[in-house]
Each structure stands twice: as C-alpha cells, then as structure tokens.
Amino acid sequence: MKFNFAKVTNSRLMGSMGLLINWEKDNENIVQYYLLDSEGLGLADYISLKNPTKEDAYKEEDRLMGGLGAERIRISEEQALFLVNYYGNKNAHYEKELPGEVKEYIDIIEKYKPTLTIDEIYPIICKNITEEVEFINYMTMRFIAWDRESLRYFSNSEEISNMHITNINGTLLKNTVSKKGKGKYISEAIYEDSDGYYVSKIAFNISKNGETFKINSMLVSHKEAIFDFEVFDEISKPEFVSIYEVNNKEQLIEKFHEDNPFLLRSDMEDATFFTRFNFNNNHVKEDTYVINNDIRSIYYQINEKLFVGTYSDNNRKYINKILQCNYKEHLKLEEELYFEEMVLYDFVESGSDDFEDFLD
C-alpha cells in the first residue's frame, strides 16, 4: 500500500490516543482508525473505511478523536507503523483480543521491524506542558494508573517507574495540588482501585530540563479507604436537567449522532446515551482536578423522553437553543430542573425508566 498521511492525538498523558492512517491501494483509498490505550488494553478499537467521502472520513475522525481533548498531529509512515506495532503487541502482553478486522493490520504487528523507540515518539504523543500544577496532575494520574512507561520517561529513574499504590491501572477521580516550596508539591489524590476507593498523599520534587519537566523524587503516604458516597460528594457538581418529549426517536437518534460524531455514544437495551466532552483538557491545569470536569453535557434518550444534563447556565441556554432549532420536528421541551448535585448519570446507571420515580 502507498502511504498518504497519518495523524495522532497528543493525548498520551490522558491514557488514550486516536491514530488515523490514510493509504492508497489498487486505486482505492483506505483509511484506518485506531484507538490506542496505554492503561491495560493496547489497541482498544479499530475500523477502516474504503473510498469514504470527505464527509464520512471527517465524521469518523471526529468520532475517534473529538472527545480526547487534544491536538491532531501529522506523523510519518515510520512513526504511524511504530505505534500500531507497539500498541498491538501490548494486547498479547495484557491477554486482550485485537479489535476489528485483525487481518487488515496484523502484518504490522507480526512482521514490521520498528526502527524507533517509545522515548523518541513521546515528544509527539504528549502535549507540551507549560505549568507545574498541570505536570503534577498528569504525573499523579499516571502514577495512579500504574503507568511505568510514563513515570520512567519523565523521571529517567527505574526506581520511580516501579513505584505504585494501586493493584491495577487505577483511575484518578480527584486531585488537589498544594505547593510546598520551589519545585515541591503535594497531591492529595482520591482514586478508584480494584477493591474500592482510596485517598493518599503523594509528594513530588520536580525540575525543568529545557522545555520538559522532570520528576526528581516521589514520596507516597499510606492510603486510606473511603466510602463511595464520600467520593460522590467530592466529585459531584450542580446539574441542570432539561426534559424533552420525543417523537420518531429512531430518526432523532440517528440524525443527532450524524450531526455530532464527536460525541461518545453508548447503545443500551432500550436507551441511548451520549457524552459530550470539552475540546481541550484545560481542566488538568487547575489546582483541583476532577475527572468529570471535561464533560460539557450528557444526553439520555429512553422511552419517549430525552434528558439533557449540563453544568452551567450558559451551556444550558446554548444547548437548548441548538436542540430546539435543529430538532424541532422531534423535540418538545417539557421541563427544566436544577439539582445541587449530579443526578442524571445516576439515573442512567440505575436501570430505572421513570425519572420521577428515581428521584423519589
């Protein structure tokens, strides 16, 4: 195949990246879309399109990359093949099946001989970090995720890379960063592990080498278990819920998905759930990082209702205006509610199909 171009998101520090490779073969245009996962999966998703229209190709690119909050960086054929080979081999290590039509890319995993190393690729797949607090949040995230590779790259220390406090690739839910002196910071991390929720303090001593931050040392306190309701109180935030009456729900869902390919879609037995992420990861720059602060809105269609959750009055007004303008033949606004904590996602998780009964 003749290589045309490739793109990757510089979102490695969030754990996942989108990779697109565009090829030419026998007068056919072939576009491959890979989701690369650094936290226990490897190649997490794959599809390809043959001779797509520009519109279809851009929609699939947005589906893959739109929710990652990152820039899309042009890379060489050598770099693209390295990433497929490197992450594809992780699947065997993690004992995970390869996704999609494996025959379309298996030769890259089994036969391609890389000439690059992961350290050479890191400056491309990691965004440029300019602020110390942002670096501390990312490194806390990587530590909780048991990401030896990132810790090694940013510390140049095997000792630091082998440090861990989780049983699995844990999830950082909330982190509060405090400065304790020049290059010295404390993270108070709330996180999820395989056996529950915990809080721990992590001390960092960092410096800057040219344009790149470096971990000089880390010290971890004992972890303490906390209850799930305490975690919810820590990460919850006020929520506006708009409730619409829906007609022709199948047509609405397909049109809405076609218009918004960058939303994460989850199809359930009798419902459909969409998540709209922000187009950047600026929430990682805050002194207090909260995992769900990158969510702009959520949409839940069940029975003849559409529930829309938003987290600021401006977003509520803007999104309702768009919905009532673009989907007026399918939607009629019934009610708008305000809650001091998030409720809509819990309703989705509850399995209930009646919002009023759920609230009671």
Side-chain angles (χ1 to χ4, degrees), residues 155 226 278 302:
S155 69
I226 55 176
N278 291 322
I302 186 168

Side-chain angles (χ1 to χ4, degrees), residues 56-104:
D56 287 342
Y58 286 141
K59 282 181 178 178
E60 191 57 38
E61 180 180 331
D62 271 343
R63 183 196 71 82
L64 174 69
M65 299 179 169
L68 294 174
E71 297 178 54
R72 304 170 192 185
I73 311 297
R74 288 275 187 141
I75 57 175
S76 68
E77 179 179 9
E78 184 181 26
Q79 291 164 338
L81 293 176
F82 170 84
L83 287 169
V84 176
N85 176 274
Y86 185 80
Y87 279 89
N89 278 293
K90 282 182 178 287
N91 287 65
H93 175 75
Y94 295 133
E95 299 181 343
K96 303 290 186 181
E97 290 187 6
L98 291 165
E101 291 293 330
V102 178
K103 62 183 180 182
E104 295 182 0

Side-chain angles (χ1 to χ4, degrees), residues 157-176:
S157 166
E158 287 294 332
E159 182 181 356
I160 290 176
S161 74
N162 287 325
M163 294 174 65
H164 65 92
I165 200 172
T166 53
N167 303 317
I168 58 168
N169 305 106
T171 302
L172 180 64
L173 303 175
K174 182 178 180 179
N175 194 48
T176 304

Side-chain angles (χ1 to χ4, degrees), residues 16-32:
S16 298
M17 296 165 286
L19 171 66
L20 176 161
I21 311 179
N22 190 302
W23 305 94
E24 203 74 34
K25 181 182 180 181
D26 299 331
N27 295 320
E28 275 192 327
N29 181 229
I30 301 169
V31 190
Q32 297 178 320

Side-chain angles (χ1 to χ4, degrees), residues 184-200:
K184 295 181 174 64
Y185 290 86
I186 299 288
S187 281
E188 184 169 348
I190 298 173
Y191 61 94
E192 183 177 10
D193 202 354
S194 59
D195 56 351
Y197 299 98
Y198 295 90
V199 61
S200 179

